[in-house]
Amino acid sequence: MGSLFRGEPMCLAQLFLQSGSAYECLSEVGERGLAEFRDLNPNVSVFQRKFVNEVKKCEEMERILGELYFHVCPFSSVALLRLTLLEWDYSEELREVTKNKEKLRKNLLELTEYTCMLEVTQRFVRRTAEVLLMLFGEDCVSCGIFVAFISGLVHIAKVEAFEKMLWRVCKGYTILTYAELDECLEDPDTGETTKWFVFLVSYWGEQIGQKVKKICDCYHCHVYPYPNNMEERKAVVEGLNVRIQDLHTVLHKTEDYLRQVLCKASESIYTWVIQVKKMKAIYHVLNLCSFDVTNKCLIAEVWCPVADLQNLRHALEEGSRKSGATISSFMNTIPTTQPPPTLIRTNKFTSGFQNIVDAYGVGNYGEVNPALYTIITFPFLFAVMFGDFGHGLLMFIFALLTILYENHPRLQRSQDEIMKMLFEGRYVILLMGLFSVYTGLIYNDCFSKSLNIFGSGWNVSAMFEQKVWRPEDLKSNKFLTLDPNVTGVYNGAYPFGIDPIWNLASNRLSFLNSFKMKMSVIFGVTHMTFGVVLGVFNHLHFKKKYNIYLVFLPELLFMMCIFGYLVFMIFFKWLAYSAEDSTSAPSILIQFINMFLFPGGETEVFYTGQVALQRFLLSIAFLSVPVMLFGKPLYLYWLHSGGRGIRMYRVSIERQLHISSV
């Protein structure tokens, strides 16, 4: 509890690590989390330090792990890969297999496109022959017309532009025939499946052919050679089918091999990823150390909790033993005037609350740690805002399930950021849900509906029994008011929370807003006052008693005289007025405004002597302001400047008295 309240007492220690055992010693220290290292080479660039090459190797290994992670994901649900720093041949082999697989897939795609093109263009030749007969008649050869073909595939988005370009450049000396493929094929550039068009360009003339080829290259068409006759077409199709079948077989075996390698490697990558990060951290710490004059011993300075000094010695001895060093590493504590870092020990319950506090800033060494009180205040203030029994119960059940199954590997190794955040804050959510159940009962709100658990304290039928309301009033009036002064109408307060009859009232919203506003003021003033009071522990701990008189007391007086008095008026009105005489109660807001405006004449007050008391409290609050603003700065100025002059004057007088006495 003392550690959580104010942090661990720290001391500065100097470690003497033998070069051969430094890595193992730092590994043992890091595993136990015993120290925070200081940089003994602040003037040395990061790229000029001793172990910068080892750090680069670790970064390269992290890059390889990230690259291989991409290949593991499609095959293994574990999504991890086993790899050591020495297994470069393994990673190169895996990269080579993957590269060959991509080449095979690309080759298979080209053969598939070629096959589809031949199937579709088989009927294009007949159309081209019919067009030539229409243009030149039956004797095309005697006219010197030798027709050539260029065929291939073009993307669906480029068909129209491709056709227009052929017509404009070739000036009608080509015949373009195209049709859409029935199946979608993969785009080798983007990897997405898309629609393609098969085209056949019939042309005559060598120059026209060169222009057609350049246009096809410009539009990134997949051009394939076109057979000259039916026998050649048949031979090409048969060859393509055989090659496609062979490629399917090779690809299947390649994927099986890759899957086996990756699945075997994915069994323990989580451990290896941690080891790579650990190695990088150790070499980074080694870069913070300095060598002695003999270059055989590394010197490190660490901040260590006083309670863990013995564990630190044991860690150094264990590291030296594992490395087989003949001389064991050792440590010495050194005195220092520098302020130590703040160390707050946490567990799985308090870590979430400590992270919330640290998000706003880490306190100085020895200061009071507010996380201890945040365990209650944070979820409770959330519940005051949230305040729903049903939703709070769902939050509580969700957090309880994550706590019961907190050792499940899928929860501990989840890579989803939202799920990791919820898992780490499971105890925070648990208390938020629990307090929300409580405040939901106070607000009588369950999924935005009221619950009538104990029975309402208001009786509507009594208004008819006492003949205050008549049956015809229900038709003539849209709203009717319950009078608590009528006998039998008001039977007392609801036992717990807000009476469910308020859910039917027309002024429900104004009543609940007024109630919640007053509760917010009470909790807010209490919370701020508690924070001011905590500062006293810091002033006493650091032996700065002047802060108590010049900071704490003025702040407390200012807050109590204004906002504390506002809380007093809220409770006074609740206790002094009941439902029967609530209509005659003065407004707290008007009373608080009049406290600053000093209105003349007679005004409504809560009690006798209220005006005099308010003026007295306001005077104290105004007198506290200059003390808060100028008290501490003037005292520090006097302490460092004015006090020095007084001390010098006192010393000079003492010397004169001493001389005169001699």
Short mmCIF file of all heavy atoms in Angstrom, two decimals, residues 447-506:
data_model
loop_
_atom_site.label_atom_id
_atom_site.label_comp_id
_atom_site.label_asym_id
_atom_site.label_seq_id
_atom_site.Cartn_x
_atom_site.Cartn_y
_atom_site.Cartn_z
N PHE A 447 -32.40 0.65 -18.91
CA PHE A 447 -32.62 0.74 -20.35
C PHE A 447 -33.61 1.87 -20.65
O PHE A 447 -34.53 1.72 -21.47
CB PHE A 447 -33.12 -0.58 -20.93
CG PHE A 447 -32.15 -1.71 -20.79
CD1 PHE A 447 -32.45 -2.81 -19.99
CD2 PHE A 447 -30.93 -1.69 -21.44
CE1 PHE A 447 -31.56 -3.86 -19.85
CE2 PHE A 447 -30.03 -2.73 -21.31
CZ PHE A 447 -30.34 -3.82 -20.51
N SER A 448 -33.41 3.00 -19.97
CA SER A 448 -34.23 4.22 -20.12
C SER A 448 -35.68 4.01 -19.69
O SER A 448 -36.56 4.78 -20.11
CB SER A 448 -34.18 4.72 -21.58
OG SER A 448 -32.86 5.01 -21.96
N LYS A 449 -35.94 3.02 -18.86
CA LYS A 449 -37.28 2.77 -18.32
C LYS A 449 -37.20 2.74 -16.79
O LYS A 449 -36.20 2.31 -16.22
CB LYS A 449 -37.86 1.45 -18.84
CG LYS A 449 -38.08 1.41 -20.35
CD LYS A 449 -39.17 2.36 -20.78
CE LYS A 449 -39.42 2.28 -22.27
NZ LYS A 449 -40.47 3.23 -22.71
N SER A 450 -38.29 3.20 -16.13
CA SER A 450 -38.34 3.19 -14.68
C SER A 450 -38.85 1.85 -14.17
O SER A 450 -39.64 1.18 -14.84
CB SER A 450 -39.23 4.33 -14.16
OG SER A 450 -38.69 5.58 -14.49
N LEU A 451 -38.42 1.48 -12.96
CA LEU A 451 -38.85 0.25 -12.32
C LEU A 451 -39.61 0.59 -11.04
O LEU A 451 -39.15 1.39 -10.23
CB LEU A 451 -37.64 -0.63 -11.97
CG LEU A 451 -36.75 -1.08 -13.14
CD1 LEU A 451 -35.55 -1.86 -12.60
CD2 LEU A 451 -37.53 -1.92 -14.12
N ASN A 452 -40.77 -0.03 -10.87
CA ASN A 452 -41.57 0.18 -9.67
C ASN A 452 -41.35 -1.01 -8.74
O ASN A 452 -42.13 -1.96 -8.70
CB ASN A 452 -43.05 0.34 -10.03
CG ASN A 452 -43.86 0.85 -8.87
OD1 ASN A 452 -43.35 1.01 -7.76
ND2 ASN A 452 -45.13 1.10 -9.11
N ILE A 453 -40.26 -0.96 -7.97
CA ILE A 453 -39.88 -2.09 -7.13
C ILE A 453 -40.61 -2.05 -5.79
O ILE A 453 -41.17 -3.05 -5.35
CB ILE A 453 -38.35 -2.10 -6.92
CG1 ILE A 453 -37.63 -2.17 -8.27
CG2 ILE A 453 -37.94 -3.27 -6.03
CD1 ILE A 453 -36.13 -2.05 -8.17
N PHE A 454 -40.63 -0.89 -5.13
CA PHE A 454 -41.18 -0.78 -3.78
C PHE A 454 -42.57 -0.14 -3.75
O PHE A 454 -43.15 -0.01 -2.68
CB PHE A 454 -40.24 0.04 -2.89
CG PHE A 454 -38.84 -0.48 -2.84
CD1 PHE A 454 -37.82 0.13 -3.56
CD2 PHE A 454 -38.53 -1.61 -2.09
CE1 PHE A 454 -36.52 -0.35 -3.52
CE2 PHE A 454 -37.24 -2.10 -2.04
CZ PHE A 454 -36.23 -1.48 -2.76
N GLY A 455 -43.07 0.26 -4.90
CA GLY A 455 -44.35 0.94 -4.91
C GLY A 455 -44.18 2.43 -4.71
O GLY A 455 -43.42 2.88 -3.84
N SER A 456 -44.91 3.22 -5.49
CA SER A 456 -44.76 4.66 -5.44
C SER A 456 -45.26 5.23 -4.12
O SER A 456 -46.18 4.69 -3.50
CB SER A 456 -45.51 5.30 -6.62
OG SER A 456 -45.46 6.71 -6.53
N GLY A 457 -44.64 6.32 -3.70
CA GLY A 457 -45.08 7.01 -2.48
C GLY A 457 -46.21 7.98 -2.73
O GLY A 457 -46.68 8.63 -1.79
N TRP A 458 -46.65 8.13 -3.95
CA TRP A 458 -47.74 9.03 -4.32
C TRP A 458 -48.98 8.20 -4.67
O TRP A 458 -48.89 7.18 -5.34
CB TRP A 458 -47.36 9.91 -5.51
CG TRP A 458 -46.22 10.85 -5.21
CD1 TRP A 458 -44.90 10.56 -5.19
CD2 TRP A 458 -46.34 12.23 -4.88
NE1 TRP A 458 -44.16 11.66 -4.88
CE2 TRP A 458 -45.02 12.72 -4.67
CE3 TRP A 458 -47.40 13.12 -4.74
CZ2 TRP A 458 -44.75 14.04 -4.34
CZ3 TRP A 458 -47.14 14.44 -4.41
CH2 TRP A 458 -45.83 14.89 -4.20
N ASN A 459 -50.13 8.69 -4.23
CA ASN A 459 -51.41 8.01 -4.45
C ASN A 459 -52.32 8.92 -5.26
O ASN A 459 -52.78 9.96 -4.77
CB ASN A 459 -52.06 7.65 -3.11
CG ASN A 459 -53.29 6.79 -3.29
OD1 ASN A 459 -53.62 6.38 -4.40
ND2 ASN A 459 -53.98 6.51 -2.20
N VAL A 460 -52.60 8.54 -6.50
CA VAL A 460 -53.42 9.37 -7.38
C VAL A 460 -54.89 9.30 -7.00
O VAL A 460 -55.63 10.30 -7.07
CB VAL A 460 -53.21 8.94 -8.85
CG1 VAL A 460 -54.08 9.77 -9.79
CG2 VAL A 460 -51.75 9.05 -9.23
N SER A 461 -55.33 8.13 -6.57
CA SER A 461 -56.76 7.96 -6.26
C SER A 461 -57.20 8.83 -5.10
O SER A 461 -58.39 9.17 -4.98
CB SER A 461 -57.05 6.49 -5.95
OG SER A 461 -56.30 6.06 -4.82
N ALA A 462 -56.25 9.22 -4.21
CA ALA A 462 -56.63 10.07 -3.08
C ALA A 462 -57.13 11.44 -3.54
O ALA A 462 -57.93 12.07 -2.84
CB ALA A 462 -55.45 10.23 -2.13
N MET A 463 -56.64 11.90 -4.68
CA MET A 463 -57.12 13.19 -5.20
C MET A 463 -58.59 13.11 -5.56
O MET A 463 -59.33 14.11 -5.42
CB MET A 463 -56.28 13.60 -6.42
CG MET A 463 -54.81 13.84 -6.11
SD MET A 463 -54.52 15.28 -5.08
CE MET A 463 -54.93 16.61 -6.21
N PHE A 464 -59.06 11.96 -6.05
CA PHE A 464 -60.49 11.79 -6.34
C PHE A 464 -61.28 11.53 -5.06
O PHE A 464 -62.41 12.01 -4.90
CB PHE A 464 -60.69 10.64 -7.32
CG PHE A 464 -60.15 10.91 -8.69
CD1 PHE A 464 -58.90 10.45 -9.08
CD2 PHE A 464 -60.90 11.63 -9.62
CE1 PHE A 464 -58.41 10.69 -10.35
CE2 PHE A 464 -60.41 11.87 -10.90
CZ PHE A 464 -59.17 11.40 -11.25
N GLU A 465 -60.69 10.78 -4.15
CA GLU A 465 -61.40 10.47 -2.91
C GLU A 465 -61.65 11.73 -2.08
O GLU A 465 -62.69 11.87 -1.44
CB GLU A 465 -60.59 9.46 -2.09
CG GLU A 465 -60.50 8.08 -2.76
CD GLU A 465 -59.54 7.17 -2.02
OE1 GLU A 465 -58.95 7.63 -1.02
OE2 GLU A 465 -59.38 6.01 -2.45
N GLN A 466 -60.68 12.65 -2.10
CA GLN A 466 -60.85 13.90 -1.37
C GLN A 466 -61.58 14.96 -2.20
O GLN A 466 -61.70 16.11 -1.77
CB GLN A 466 -59.47 14.44 -0.96
CG GLN A 466 -58.69 13.52 -0.04
CD GLN A 466 -59.36 13.32 1.31
OE1 GLN A 466 -60.07 14.22 1.79
NE2 GLN A 466 -59.18 12.13 1.89
N LYS A 467 -62.06 14.54 -3.38
CA LYS A 467 -62.84 15.38 -4.28
C LYS A 467 -62.10 16.65 -4.71
O LYS A 467 -62.70 17.69 -4.96
CB LYS A 467 -64.16 15.77 -3.61
CG LYS A 467 -65.04 14.57 -3.29
CD LYS A 467 -66.35 14.99 -2.69
CE LYS A 467 -67.22 13.76 -2.39
NZ LYS A 467 -68.52 14.12 -1.77
N VAL A 468 -60.77 16.54 -4.77
CA VAL A 468 -59.98 17.64 -5.35
C VAL A 468 -60.05 17.58 -6.86
O VAL A 468 -60.13 18.61 -7.55
CB VAL A 468 -58.53 17.57 -4.84
CG1 VAL A 468 -57.68 18.69 -5.45
CG2 VAL A 468 -58.49 17.64 -3.33
N TRP A 469 -60.01 16.36 -7.38
CA TRP A 469 -60.21 16.14 -8.82
C TRP A 469 -61.60 15.55 -9.04
O TRP A 469 -62.11 14.77 -8.20
CB TRP A 469 -59.17 15.17 -9.38
CG TRP A 469 -57.77 15.71 -9.42
CD1 TRP A 469 -57.37 16.98 -9.19
CD2 TRP A 469 -56.60 14.95 -9.72
NE1 TRP A 469 -56.02 17.09 -9.31
CE2 TRP A 469 -55.51 15.86 -9.65
CE3 TRP A 469 -56.36 13.63 -10.05
CZ2 TRP A 469 -54.20 15.46 -9.89
CZ3 TRP A 469 -55.06 13.22 -10.29
CH2 TRP A 469 -53.99 14.14 -10.22
N ARG A 470 -62.16 15.90 -10.15
CA ARG A 470 -63.44 15.33 -10.55
C ARG A 470 -63.28 14.59 -11.87
O ARG A 470 -62.37 14.89 -12.64
CB ARG A 470 -64.49 16.44 -10.69
CG ARG A 470 -64.76 17.17 -9.38
CD ARG A 470 -65.77 18.28 -9.58
NE ARG A 470 -66.02 18.99 -8.32
CZ ARG A 470 -66.84 20.04 -8.21
NH1 ARG A 470 -67.47 20.48 -9.30
NH2 ARG A 470 -67.00 20.62 -7.03
N PRO A 471 -64.14 13.63 -12.14
CA PRO A 471 -63.99 12.86 -13.39
C PRO A 471 -63.98 13.73 -14.63
O PRO A 471 -63.27 13.44 -15.60
CB PRO A 471 -65.19 11.91 -13.37
CG PRO A 471 -65.51 11.77 -11.92
CD PRO A 471 -65.20 13.09 -11.27
N GLU A 472 -64.75 14.82 -14.62
CA GLU A 472 -64.77 15.67 -15.82
C GLU A 472 -63.47 16.45 -16.00
O GLU A 472 -63.19 16.96 -17.10
CB GLU A 472 -65.95 16.65 -15.75
CG GLU A 472 -65.99 17.51 -14.49
CD GLU A 472 -66.82 16.86 -13.41
OE1 GLU A 472 -67.07 15.63 -13.51
OE2 GLU A 472 -67.23 17.58 -12.48
N ASP A 473 -62.64 16.54 -14.90
CA ASP A 473 -61.35 17.23 -15.04
C ASP A 473 -60.40 16.47 -15.96
O ASP A 473 -59.52 17.07 -16.57
CB ASP A 473 -60.70 17.39 -13.67
CG ASP A 473 -61.47 18.36 -12.78
OD1 ASP A 473 -62.21 19.19 -13.33
OD2 ASP A 473 -61.32 18.28 -11.54
N LEU A 474 -60.59 15.17 -16.06
CA LEU A 474 -59.73 14.38 -16.93
C LEU A 474 -59.93 14.72 -18.39
O LEU A 474 -59.02 14.57 -19.21
CB LEU A 474 -59.99 12.88 -16.70
CG LEU A 474 -59.69 12.35 -15.29
CD1 LEU A 474 -60.10 10.89 -15.19
CD2 LEU A 474 -58.22 12.51 -14.96
N LYS A 475 -61.15 15.18 -18.73
CA LYS A 475 -61.43 15.52 -20.12
C LYS A 475 -61.07 16.97 -20.44
O LYS A 475 -60.64 17.28 -21.53
CB LYS A 475 -62.91 15.28 -20.41
CG LYS A 475 -63.34 13.82 -20.24
CD LYS A 475 -64.82 13.66 -20.54
CE LYS A 475 -65.26 12.20 -20.35
NZ LYS A 475 -66.72 12.03 -20.62
N SER A 476 -61.23 17.83 -19.46
CA SER A 476 -61.01 19.25 -19.71
C SER A 476 -59.56 19.69 -19.52
O SER A 476 -59.15 20.71 -20.07
CB SER A 476 -61.91 20.09 -18.78
OG SER A 476 -61.63 19.79 -17.42
N ASN A 477 -58.77 18.94 -18.75
CA ASN A 477 -57.38 19.32 -18.48
C ASN A 477 -56.43 18.25 -19.02
O ASN A 477 -56.62 17.06 -18.78
CB ASN A 477 -57.14 19.48 -16.97
CG ASN A 477 -57.97 20.61 -16.38
OD1 ASN A 477 -57.92 21.74 -16.85
ND2 ASN A 477 -58.77 20.29 -15.36
N LYS A 478 -55.42 18.74 -19.71
CA LYS A 478 -54.42 17.82 -20.25
C LYS A 478 -53.47 17.33 -19.16
O LYS A 478 -53.03 16.19 -19.17
CB LYS A 478 -53.63 18.51 -21.37
CG LYS A 478 -52.68 17.58 -22.11
CD LYS A 478 -52.00 18.31 -23.26
CE LYS A 478 -51.07 17.38 -24.03
NZ LYS A 478 -50.40 18.08 -25.15
N PHE A 479 -53.14 18.22 -18.20
CA PHE A 479 -52.25 17.87 -17.09
C PHE A 479 -52.93 18.20 -15.78
O PHE A 479 -53.58 19.25 -15.66
CB PHE A 479 -50.92 18.63 -17.18
CG PHE A 479 -50.10 18.30 -18.40
CD1 PHE A 479 -50.07 19.17 -19.48
CD2 PHE A 479 -49.38 17.13 -18.48
CE1 PHE A 479 -49.34 18.88 -20.60
CE2 PHE A 479 -48.64 16.83 -19.60
CZ PHE A 479 -48.62 17.70 -20.66
N LEU A 480 -52.77 17.34 -14.79
CA LEU A 480 -53.29 17.54 -13.44
C LEU A 480 -52.14 17.46 -12.46
O LEU A 480 -51.22 16.67 -12.62
CB LEU A 480 -54.35 16.49 -13.10
CG LEU A 480 -55.63 16.53 -13.95
CD1 LEU A 480 -56.52 15.35 -13.60
CD2 LEU A 480 -56.38 17.84 -13.75
N THR A 481 -52.21 18.31 -11.41
CA THR A 481 -51.12 18.41 -10.44
C THR A 481 -51.49 17.70 -9.16
O THR A 481 -52.57 17.93 -8.59
CB THR A 481 -50.81 19.89 -10.14
OG1 THR A 481 -50.50 20.56 -11.37
CG2 THR A 481 -49.63 20.00 -9.19
N LEU A 482 -50.58 16.85 -8.68
CA LEU A 482 -50.77 16.18 -7.40
C LEU A 482 -50.39 17.14 -6.28
O LEU A 482 -49.31 17.75 -6.30
CB LEU A 482 -49.91 14.92 -7.31
CG LEU A 482 -50.32 13.74 -8.21
CD1 LEU A 482 -49.25 12.66 -8.17
CD2 LEU A 482 -51.64 13.17 -7.76
N ASP A 483 -51.26 17.27 -5.30
CA ASP A 483 -51.02 18.16 -4.17
C ASP A 483 -50.62 17.33 -2.95
O ASP A 483 -51.44 16.58 -2.41
CB ASP A 483 -52.28 18.97 -3.86
CG ASP A 483 -52.03 20.05 -2.83
OD1 ASP A 483 -50.89 20.13 -2.32
OD2 ASP A 483 -52.96 20.82 -2.53
N PRO A 484 -49.37 17.43 -2.49
CA PRO A 484 -48.95 16.61 -1.35
C PRO A 484 -49.62 17.00 -0.04
O PRO A 484 -49.57 16.24 0.93
CB PRO A 484 -47.44 16.85 -1.28
CG PRO A 484 -47.23 18.17 -1.95
CD PRO A 484 -48.28 18.27 -3.01
N ASN A 485 -50.25 18.18 0.01
CA ASN A 485 -50.92 18.61 1.23
C ASN A 485 -52.28 17.94 1.40
O ASN A 485 -52.88 18.04 2.48
CB ASN A 485 -51.08 20.13 1.25
CG ASN A 485 -49.72 20.83 1.30
OD1 ASN A 485 -48.88 20.50 2.12
ND2 ASN A 485 -49.51 21.79 0.40
N VAL A 486 -52.79 17.31 0.36
CA VAL A 486 -54.05 16.59 0.46
C VAL A 486 -53.81 15.27 1.17
O VAL A 486 -52.84 14.55 0.87
CB VAL A 486 -54.65 16.37 -0.96
CG1 VAL A 486 -55.93 15.54 -0.87
CG2 VAL A 486 -54.94 17.71 -1.63
N THR A 487 -54.67 14.94 2.07
CA THR A 487 -54.51 13.73 2.87
C THR A 487 -54.51 12.48 1.99
O THR A 487 -55.40 12.30 1.16
CB THR A 487 -55.64 13.63 3.91
OG1 THR A 487 -55.65 14.83 4.70
CG2 THR A 487 -55.43 12.42 4.82
N GLY A 488 -53.49 11.64 2.20
CA GLY A 488 -53.41 10.38 1.49
C GLY A 488 -52.72 10.45 0.15
O GLY A 488 -52.51 9.41 -0.48
N VAL A 489 -52.36 11.64 -0.33
CA VAL A 489 -51.70 11.76 -1.64
C VAL A 489 -50.22 11.40 -1.54
O VAL A 489 -49.70 10.61 -2.33
CB VAL A 489 -51.89 13.18 -2.21
CG1 VAL A 489 -51.06 13.35 -3.49
CG2 VAL A 489 -53.34 13.44 -2.50
N TYR A 490 -49.55 11.96 -0.55
CA TYR A 490 -48.12 11.71 -0.39
C TYR A 490 -47.91 10.88 0.87
O TYR A 490 -48.21 11.32 1.98
CB TYR A 490 -47.35 13.02 -0.30
CG TYR A 490 -45.85 12.85 -0.17
CD1 TYR A 490 -45.10 12.30 -1.20
CD2 TYR A 490 -45.20 13.23 0.99
CE1 TYR A 490 -43.74 12.13 -1.08
CE2 TYR A 490 -43.83 13.08 1.11
CZ TYR A 490 -43.11 12.53 0.08
OH TYR A 490 -41.75 12.35 0.20
N ASN A 491 -47.37 9.67 0.68
CA ASN A 491 -47.20 8.73 1.79
C ASN A 491 -45.74 8.57 2.23
O ASN A 491 -45.41 7.62 2.93
CB ASN A 491 -47.75 7.36 1.39
CG ASN A 491 -49.22 7.42 1.05
OD1 ASN A 491 -49.99 8.12 1.73
ND2 ASN A 491 -49.63 6.72 -0.01
N GLY A 492 -44.87 9.43 1.80
CA GLY A 492 -43.47 9.35 2.19
C GLY A 492 -42.56 9.11 1.00
O GLY A 492 -43.00 8.83 -0.11
N ALA A 493 -41.26 9.25 1.27
CA ALA A 493 -40.27 9.13 0.20
C ALA A 493 -40.14 7.69 -0.28
O ALA A 493 -40.39 6.74 0.47
CB ALA A 493 -38.91 9.64 0.69
N TYR A 494 -39.75 7.55 -1.52
CA TYR A 494 -39.47 6.23 -2.09
C TYR A 494 -38.27 5.63 -1.37
O TYR A 494 -37.28 6.32 -1.10
CB TYR A 494 -39.19 6.38 -3.59
CG TYR A 494 -39.20 5.09 -4.38
CD1 TYR A 494 -40.38 4.39 -4.57
CD2 TYR A 494 -38.03 4.58 -4.93
CE1 TYR A 494 -40.41 3.21 -5.30
CE2 TYR A 494 -38.04 3.40 -5.67
CZ TYR A 494 -39.24 2.72 -5.85
OH TYR A 494 -39.25 1.55 -6.57
N PRO A 495 -38.32 4.34 -0.99
CA PRO A 495 -37.26 3.78 -0.14
C PRO A 495 -35.86 3.89 -0.72
O PRO A 495 -34.90 4.11 0.01
CB PRO A 495 -37.69 2.31 0.01
CG PRO A 495 -39.15 2.31 -0.23
CD PRO A 495 -39.41 3.39 -1.22
N PHE A 496 -35.70 3.75 -2.04
CA PHE A 496 -34.36 3.75 -2.62
C PHE A 496 -34.45 4.32 -4.03
O PHE A 496 -35.07 3.73 -4.92
CB PHE A 496 -33.80 2.33 -2.67
CG PHE A 496 -32.34 2.26 -3.04
CD1 PHE A 496 -31.37 2.47 -2.10
CD2 PHE A 496 -31.96 2.01 -4.35
CE1 PHE A 496 -30.02 2.41 -2.43
CE2 PHE A 496 -30.63 1.95 -4.70
CZ PHE A 496 -29.65 2.15 -3.73
N GLY A 497 -33.82 5.47 -4.24
CA GLY A 497 -33.80 6.07 -5.56
C GLY A 497 -34.96 7.01 -5.79
O GLY A 497 -35.64 7.47 -4.85
N ILE A 498 -35.19 7.29 -7.06
CA ILE A 498 -36.23 8.24 -7.47
C ILE A 498 -37.55 7.51 -7.65
O ILE A 498 -37.60 6.41 -8.22
CB ILE A 498 -35.80 8.96 -8.76
CG1 ILE A 498 -34.59 9.83 -8.46
CG2 ILE A 498 -36.93 9.77 -9.34
CD1 ILE A 498 -34.15 10.72 -9.54
N ASP A 499 -38.60 8.14 -7.18
CA ASP A 499 -39.94 7.56 -7.27
C ASP A 499 -40.31 7.33 -8.74
O ASP A 499 -40.14 8.22 -9.57
CB ASP A 499 -40.95 8.51 -6.61
CG ASP A 499 -42.25 7.79 -6.27
OD1 ASP A 499 -42.87 7.24 -7.21
OD2 ASP A 499 -42.63 7.80 -5.09
N PRO A 500 -40.82 6.14 -9.09
CA PRO A 500 -41.14 5.86 -10.50
C PRO A 500 -42.25 6.72 -11.07
O PRO A 500 -42.39 6.80 -12.29
CB PRO A 500 -41.54 4.38 -10.48
CG PRO A 500 -41.93 4.10 -9.08
CD PRO A 500 -41.07 4.97 -8.23
N ILE A 501 -43.03 7.39 -10.21
CA ILE A 501 -44.12 8.23 -10.73
C ILE A 501 -43.59 9.43 -11.50
O ILE A 501 -44.29 10.01 -12.32
CB ILE A 501 -45.05 8.68 -9.58
CG1 ILE A 501 -46.41 9.09 -10.15
CG2 ILE A 501 -44.41 9.82 -8.78
CD1 ILE A 501 -47.44 9.34 -9.09
N TRP A 502 -42.33 9.80 -11.24
CA TRP A 502 -41.75 10.93 -11.97
C TRP A 502 -41.60 10.62 -13.45
O TRP A 502 -41.49 11.53 -14.27
CB TRP A 502 -40.39 11.29 -11.38
CG TRP A 502 -40.49 12.08 -10.11
CD1 TRP A 502 -40.29 11.64 -8.85
CD2 TRP A 502 -40.84 13.46 -10.01
NE1 TRP A 502 -40.49 12.64 -7.94
CE2 TRP A 502 -40.83 13.79 -8.63
CE3 TRP A 502 -41.17 14.46 -10.92
CZ2 TRP A 502 -41.12 15.05 -8.16
CZ3 TRP A 502 -41.46 15.72 -10.45
CH2 TRP A 502 -41.44 16.02 -9.09
N ASN A 503 -41.62 9.35 -13.81
CA ASN A 503 -41.54 9.00 -15.23
C ASN A 503 -42.78 9.41 -16.00
O ASN A 503 -42.77 9.51 -17.23
CB ASN A 503 -41.31 7.49 -15.37
CG ASN A 503 -40.83 7.10 -16.75
OD1 ASN A 503 -39.99 7.79 -17.33
ND2 ASN A 503 -41.36 6.02 -17.28
N LEU A 504 -43.90 9.64 -15.27
CA LEU A 504 -45.16 10.05 -15.90
C LEU A 504 -45.38 11.55 -15.82
O LEU A 504 -46.34 12.06 -16.43
CB LEU A 504 -46.34 9.33 -15.22
CG LEU A 504 -46.26 7.80 -15.17
CD1 LEU A 504 -47.43 7.24 -14.36
CD2 LEU A 504 -46.26 7.22 -16.57
N ALA A 505 -44.54 12.26 -15.07
CA ALA A 505 -44.76 13.68 -14.85
C ALA A 505 -44.32 14.50 -16.06
O ALA A 505 -43.37 14.15 -16.76
CB ALA A 505 -44.00 14.13 -13.61
N SER A 506 -45.02 15.62 -16.28
CA SER A 506 -44.66 16.49 -17.40
C SER A 506 -43.39 17.28 -17.11
O SER A 506 -42.69 17.69 -18.03
CB SER A 506 -45.81 17.47 -17.69
OG SER A 506 -46.09 18.26 -16.54
#
